């Protein structure tokens, strides 16, 4: 792969890897047993995507477990803590809509990621549907579930602008991607009786920050947990 394609594979691979780990943290803690299974399956889908993407760049294990925090190129959105279940669902809604639209564009082209995208977009369609169904159920549910969803929508809104910053090696129409993302997310939130958050979707200081290796405080703690076993037993096989 070209150097620019490597940069894109690393960014997309890190998105999938980090969100997979976050969703995996719900194992045994989801509100219902069925949701334990659903979130685990989404996490495994994302982990599979991460393995393919990172293997295009180098050794997937070394890239996942031996890089320092500043070397990761994932979006800040995916590294945000799970919070309550509403927070997790809104994070998944924002990201899965973006990922489905992105992979749809890549699959329609003839670039280096077309084959991967064509396979992954089918998985991501389920991820988006799952997030939408829960958004509708909680947003238009009880007063408490509605309030929690609204708080989550607002809290994560400032991280969404970074998704549409240019990524070296990705040949996509970012303007069209952003417009369709806004349209889709607005429609879902409206159906769920939720208000689309106001205010900027990215602070001037944070534009493209995750893609540049600048991460939020919770990411360091998550990374230490994710990498602990591999770093504690270097070279071990199981």
């Amino acid at each position: 792969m070209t150097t620019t394609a490597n940069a894109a594979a690393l960014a997309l691979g890190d998105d999938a890897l980090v969100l997979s780990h976050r969703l995996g943290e719900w194992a045994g803690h989801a509100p219902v047993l069925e949701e334990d299974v659903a979130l685990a399956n989404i996490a495994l889908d994302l982990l599979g995507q991460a393995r393919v993407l990172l293997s295009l760049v180098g050794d997937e294990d070394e890239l996942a477990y031996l890089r320092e925090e500043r070397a990761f190129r994932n979006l800040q959105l995916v590294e945000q803590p799970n919070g309550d279940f509403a927070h997790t669902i809104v994070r998944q809604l924002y990201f899965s809509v973006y990922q489905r639209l992105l992979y749809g564009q890549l699959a329609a082209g003839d670039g280096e990621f077309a084959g991967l995208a064509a396979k992954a977009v089918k998985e991501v369609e389920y991820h988006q549907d799952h997030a939408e169904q829960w958004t509708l159920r909680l947003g238009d549910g009880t007063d408490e579930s509605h309030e929690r969803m609204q708080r989550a929508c607002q809290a994560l809104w400032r991280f969404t602008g970074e998704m549409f910053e240019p990524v070296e090696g990705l040949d996509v129409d970012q303007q069209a991607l952003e417009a369709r993302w806004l349209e889709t997310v607005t429609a879902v939130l409206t159906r769920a009786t939720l208000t689309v958050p106001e205010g900027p979707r990215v602070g001037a200081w944070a534009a493209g920050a995750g893609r540049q290796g600048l991460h939020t405080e919770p990411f360091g703690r998550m990374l230490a947990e994710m990498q602990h076993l591999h770093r504690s037993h270097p070279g071990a096989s199981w």
Side-chain angles (χ1 to χ4, degrees), residues 12-82:
L12 299 183
D14 284 350
D15 285 345
L17 174 68
V18 171
L19 186 54
S20 172
H21 185 83
R22 279 298 190 209
L23 291 174
E25 292 174 346
W26 275 105
H29 301 283
V32 293
L33 182 59
E34 183 181 9
E35 198 57 23
D36 246 23
V37 176
L39 292 177
N41 283 336
I42 294 173
L44 286 172
D45 286 344
L46 291 167
L47 184 61
Q49 294 170 22
R51 293 191 62 190
V52 173
L53 287 159
L54 294 181
S55 67
L56 297 175
V57 181
D59 183 285
E60 63 187 77
D61 290 332
E62 290 185 6
L63 289 169
Y65 299 123
L66 297 180
R67 274 184 297 161
E68 299 297 330
E69 180 179 329
R70 288 293 298 271
F72 279 79
R73 294 294 182 262
N74 58 277
L75 297 163
Q76 289 185 350
L77 174 66
V78 298
E79 70 195 37
Q80 297 310 301
N82 288 326

Side-chain angles (χ1 to χ4, degrees), residues 89 92-93 96 126-136:
I89 290 301
Q92 193 64 39
L93 175 70
S96 61
Y126 163 71
H127 302 175
Q128 179 180 329
D129 181 67
H130 175 269
E132 286 186 9
Q133 294 306 314
W134 271 108
T135 298
L136 296 171

Side-chain angles (χ1 to χ4, degrees), residues 134-214:
W134 271 108
T135 298
L136 296 171
R137 181 175 176 181
L138 297 175
D140 197 21
T142 65
D143 290 344
E144 182 178 356
S145 70
H146 176 90
E147 183 181 349
R148 285 174 181 253
M149 285 294 288
Q150 192 64 65
R151 286 202 304 265
C153 288
Q154 188 65 54
L156 293 169
W157 191 248
R158 68 190 180 97
F159 296 107
T160 60
E162 186 184 9
M163 295 187 291
F164 309 105
E165 293 291 317
V167 177
E168 187 179 22
L170 280 187
D171 184 19
V172 294
D173 184 341
Q174 295 286 4
Q175 268 193 319
L177 190 66
E178 184 171 13
R180 291 190 63 195
W181 181 89
L182 274 170
E183 180 184 3
T184 303
V185 168
T186 296
V188 174
L189 296 184
T190 301
R191 286 175 59 208
T193 71
L194 295 164
T195 302
V196 177
E198 297 180 355
R201 292 184 15 255
V202 62
W205 63 271
R211 296 296 193 217
Q212 298 168 22
L214 302 175

Side-chain angles (χ1 to χ4, degrees), residues 199-223:
R201 292 184 15 255
V202 62
W205 63 271
R211 296 296 193 217
Q212 298 168 22
L214 302 175
H215 298 283
T216 55
E217 183 180 353
F219 182 62
R221 296 193 295 271
M222 190 215 82
L223 196 62

